[in-house]
Amino acid sequence: MPKNKVKYNLRNVHYALLTFDTQGNPVFGTPVHIPGAVSLSLEANGEPSIFFADGYAYYVVSNNQGYEGDLEIALVPDSFRTDVLKETMDSNNVLVEDATAETAAFALLFEFDGDKNKIRHVLYNCTASRPTIESATKEEEIEVKTEKLTIKAAPLEGGYVKARTSDTTNATAYNSWFSNVYVPQNADFAVNPATLTLGLEDSGTATILNALGTVTAAVTVDGEASGMVQASVSGSTLTLTTTDQTRTDVLYTVTLTDSGRTTGNTAVLTLTVEDE
């Protein structure tokens, strides 16, 4: 891709819910668009720690605590209020704020225009504070009042804070940026659990980890395609479904393929079906 000289114009802001599996690995939901982006200003958190000895800075270590600042948007969408701020919608579709509810973590995705290419970013582990309630009477000219979310972006347990595209980013990773949360290539593509047992006319799910592109699933028995088990992928969830005719005397191999990787792009789940 051609190289950018400048950047401008915030756009394409998304959030993706962040949860963790039983092993503590991050699992990201499908990104959801936040319309009406106005501005984003995030300051780096964490100052270098300096150890002085022999009369000078003997040892300096970085202390990256992520970022903190404001995301200004036209109006906080209802989906963000329910998914992240944990407001609830009652039977009359009225949003209710509960002081006892704990807000959810999320990844924040966005992009800046450039003179050649859009620069895409993701902050992996964000929390948001409630926006201020503010408006004013209408005068001769209507002044639109925006809403601000104070965003704190902390490092994940493994250390990752954020990622952004470059002038040489792989086209598949670049084009799928707002479809799936990008996970660094040195994080293995996997499925959890790797083994699953179902009964007849049953269904079960597994979590897809660290996908970079579109994930597809194929079910085989001894290397041959099998239609006895149905496999479907939605976001980071693999769903397997059996029927009353599914064979119980074989092992099913469910192979997941990640289109966003050129190497290490498959993960395998072994399925056993029992006649209970």
Side-chain angles (χ1 to χ4, degrees):
M1 293 189 293
K3 294 184 178 180
N4 283 318
K5 294 181 179 179
V6 296
K7 67 177 181 180
Y8 57 94
N9 190 35
L10 171 68
R11 63 196 302 274
N12 245 343
V13 177
H14 289 66
Y15 71 91
L17 290 178
L18 167 62
T19 56
F20 296 89
D21 66 16
T22 54
Q23 280 74 46
N25 298 309
V27 179
F28 295 99
T30 302
V32 178
H33 184 223
I34 300 177
V38 177
S39 67
L40 177 67
S41 177
L42 299 174
E43 297 286 339
N45 266 347
E47 298 293 333
S49 295
I50 304 174
F51 172 68
F52 288 91
D54 292 337
Y56 69 98
Y58 191 79
Y59 179 69
V60 180
V61 60
S62 64
N63 182 23
N64 187 338
Q65 295 299 314
Y67 297 84
E68 182 175 356
D70 291 330
L71 170 63
E72 183 180 6
I73 53 182
L75 198 66
V76 177
D78 289 352
S79 62
F80 189 90
R81 287 185 176 276
T82 55
D83 291 344
V84 175
L85 301 181
K86 293 304 180 182
E87 297 180 13
T88 56
M89 192 83 74
D90 72 4
S91 58
N92 290 316
N93 286 340
V94 172
L95 282 167
V96 180
E97 182 179 319
D98 185 347
T100 64
E102 184 175 348
T103 59
F106 61 97
L108 182 68
L109 304 91
F110 54 92
E111 69 182 12
F112 301 129
D113 282 333
D115 56 306
K116 298 296 183 182
N117 310 299
K118 296 176 176 64
I119 305 168
R120 295 176 170 174
H121 295 250
V122 57
L123 295 161
Y124 288 113
N125 184 17
C126 297
T127 55
S129 66
R130 294 168 294 137
T132 299
I133 300 173
E134 179 185 11
S135 191
T137 188
K138 183 178 70 173
E139 299 181 357
E140 292 181 0
E141 295 183 0
I142 295 176
E143 180 183 357
V144 174
K145 293 292 185 180
T146 59
E147 295 186 328
K148 286 186 179 180
L149 295 166
T150 296
I151 304 292
K152 292 185 178 181
L156 288 170
E157 185 174 341
Y160 292 132
V161 177
K162 73 179 186 72
R164 54 152 285 183
T165 59
S166 70
D167 294 323
T168 56
T169 294
N170 173 278
T172 299
Y174 183 88
N175 293 332
S176 63
W177 197 264
F178 298 107
S179 299
N180 302 281
V181 173
Y182 178 81
V183 176
Q185 278 277 23
N186 56 353
D188 293 336
F189 176 55
V191 59
N192 182 54
T195 60
L196 193 63
T197 300
L198 296 178
L200 296 176
E201 295 186 285
D202 195 5
S203 65
T205 61
T207 300
I208 300 166
L209 304 173
N210 306 327
L212 302 182
T214 301
V215 177
T216 55
V219 182
T220 59
V221 174
D222 294 330
E224 299 292 332
S226 173
M228 303 297 287
V229 175
Q230 297 299 312
S232 63
V233 174
S234 177
S236 60
T237 301
L238 167 69
T239 301
L240 301 174
T241 306
T242 64
T243 71
D244 60 353
Q245 300 298 314
T246 301
R247 291 176 58 184
T248 58
D249 58 341
V250 297
L251 287 179
Y252 295 88
T253 300
V254 183
T255 303
L256 301 170
T257 303
D258 179 5
S259 67
R261 295 174 182 262
T262 55
T263 60
N265 63 338
T266 60
V268 175
L269 180 148
T270 301
L271 174 67
T272 302
V273 180
E274 297 180 345
D275 185 3
E276 299 177 338

